Amino acid sequence: VRRSNEVLAAESVACLNKALGHLRDIWEEIGIPEEQRLQRTEVVKKHIKGLLDMMVAEEENLKERLLKSIAMCRKELDTLCKELQLDPFEEEEESTILQLEKDLRTRLEVMLKQKRERKQELKTLQERDQDLCDLLCMTPYSIDSNSVPSLEELDCFRRHLAALAAEKERRREEFVRVKRQIILCMEELDHVPDTSFERDVVCEDEDAFCLSMENIAALKELLQQLEARRALNEAVCGELRSRIVELWDRLQVPAEEREAFATYMTGSRAKTRKAVRKPCPV
């Protein structure tokens, strides 16, 4: 490289000398006096020096801009490494100013992208967490929204959401199962939902039902109450059927007449209870 620079410098000097020689020949042919030739040569010298000084200044400005960019990139990289909890960026030894600036700028762009992606993922995870917490009536996951989350923090958040989603499915399955039993009990009891909670359970969209532990417990309690009423009705109907059979036996009611009443000898719905009460003496 040094040899190439020396050759280029020599060629530049040769070109300059050739041009000056050509100018002198022209001035001599024209007949310009020696004093004026010296003055014109001085003008050429000043012109060339000014051009070279301008080129040097431009390159010095380029160097200063590169050094300022390097300083800015180093400062921002230091901040980003702390925010992203990464090891400091290691610069390559014996790197030129131009290559160092390029490496730092490239690394800065990569880390800024990582920061944006982590912040965006955190926002997405928080939105999912809020939706699940609203449905399950739970407190949102505790994490600083203003700082850049570490990869470990994001992983912990994802695992937390997976556990919440599993809990949601567990409660949803329990809700659907208990709801189905409640509806069956209400049908057997000819019971029309008469409280806001019963209407929420039976009539509203399943996805709109709040799956809090309190609601699940209230759901089970409602089922127990309905099952207790059904059990009581079944016991009453069983007692009435026993009395009917006893009366049939005493009155020697034929089997074909008993068969006509067979439909009401099972179950405990209101229609059945009403039917089995009729044959019984008051």
Side-chain angles (χ1 to χ4, degrees):
V1 175
R2 182 176 180 180
R3 176 60 181 171
S4 298
N5 288 336
E6 291 176 352
V7 171
L8 288 173
E11 290 178 350
S12 298
V13 172
C15 288
L16 177 60
N17 288 332
K18 183 178 179 181
L20 287 173
H22 194 187
L23 285 172
R24 282 193 298 267
D25 291 341
I26 294 173
W27 293 335
E28 186 175 347
E29 290 179 8
I30 294 174
I32 295 177
E34 181 65 22
E35 184 178 350
Q36 291 184 13
R37 294 181 199 174
L38 292 175
Q39 291 176 354
R40 288 173 181 264
T41 302
E42 186 66 25
V43 170
V44 171
K45 173 187 172 183
K46 289 182 179 179
H47 180 71
I48 293 173
K49 184 178 183 301
L51 178 62
L52 292 175
D53 288 345
M54 181 182 68
M55 294 176 66
V56 170
E58 288 178 352
E59 298 306 307
E60 284 289 350
N61 287 336
L62 173 61
K63 177 183 174 182
E64 289 300 318
R65 289 198 304 271
L66 290 172
L67 291 175
K68 287 181 180 179
S69 177
I70 288 173
M72 181 197 70
C73 287
R74 282 173 172 163
K75 183 177 180 180
E76 292 189 20
L77 279 174
D78 182 59
T79 301
L80 282 171
C81 286
K82 292 177 181 178
E83 287 183 331
L84 297 172
Q85 302 180 35
L86 298 175
D87 295 331
F89 176 69
E90 295 185 3
E91 302 174 5
E92 292 187 8
E93 297 181 1
E94 300 182 359
S95 180
T96 64
I97 293 177
L98 192 62
Q99 185 62 46
L100 178 59
E101 194 274 341
K102 180 181 178 181
D103 291 343
L104 289 172
R105 185 160 35 83
T106 301
R107 180 59 179 168
L108 182 61
E109 291 173 356
V110 170
M111 295 182 68
L112 285 172
K113 182 181 178 182
Q114 289 183 6
K115 178 179 178 178
R116 289 193 300 269
E117 289 175 346
R118 290 195 196 180
K119 295 284 285 185
Q120 181 58 48
E121 183 174 5
L122 176 60
K123 181 180 178 182
T124 301
L125 293 176
Q126 286 180 313
E127 290 174 352
R128 289 173 53 195
D129 181 59
Q130 188 63 56
D131 290 341
L132 287 169
C133 288
D134 289 344
L135 183 64
L136 300 174
C137 295
M138 297 177 67
T139 303
Y141 188 76
S142 178
I143 189 170
D144 187 0
S145 301
N146 297 319
S147 64
V148 182
S150 67
L151 295 176
E152 182 179 358
E153 287 174 328
L154 289 175
D155 188 54
C156 289
F157 202 166
R158 285 191 290 267
R159 291 199 300 269
H160 169 76
L161 286 179
L164 273 190
E167 177 65 13
K168 170 193 168 184
E169 290 306 312
R170 186 191 68 78
R171 294 189 192 180
R172 175 72 65 195
E173 291 174 0
E174 188 172 21
F175 165 66
V176 171
R177 177 181 59 81
V178 177
K179 174 182 177 179
R180 188 180 299 115
Q181 293 175 312
I182 287 174
I183 292 175
L184 290 175
C185 283
M186 287 184 174
E187 289 177 351
E188 291 186 18
L189 296 169
D190 290 328
H191 175 76
V192 177
D194 55 3
T195 67
S196 59
F197 181 74
E198 290 180 2
R199 286 190 291 271
D200 288 345
V201 172
V202 176
C203 305
E204 287 198 4
D205 182 10
E206 292 182 356
D207 293 333
F209 187 80
C210 179
L211 298 174
S212 66
M213 294 300 294
E214 291 78 8
N215 275 359
I216 296 296
L219 201 67
K220 292 180 179 178
E221 182 179 357
L222 174 60
L223 177 59
Q224 290 176 354
Q225 294 173 355
L226 293 172
E227 287 179 336
R229 288 173 56 185
R230 183 176 63 181
L232 179 60
N233 287 342
E234 288 175 349
V236 171
C237 287
E239 177 63 26
L240 291 173
R241 291 187 188 104
S242 296
R243 294 172 60 186
I244 290 171
V245 172
E246 182 181 347
L247 288 172
W248 281 346
D249 291 341
R250 289 183 183 179
L251 298 173
Q252 297 180 354
V253 176
E256 56 271 15
E257 292 184 21
R258 299 188 186 193
E259 188 65 27
F261 198 72
T263 305
Y264 304 102
M265 295 304 286
T266 59
S268 59
R269 301 188 65 163
K271 181 179 179 181
T272 302
R273 295 196 306 272
K274 184 177 179 181
V276 295
R277 284 180 184 278
K278 286 183 178 179
C280 298
V282 180

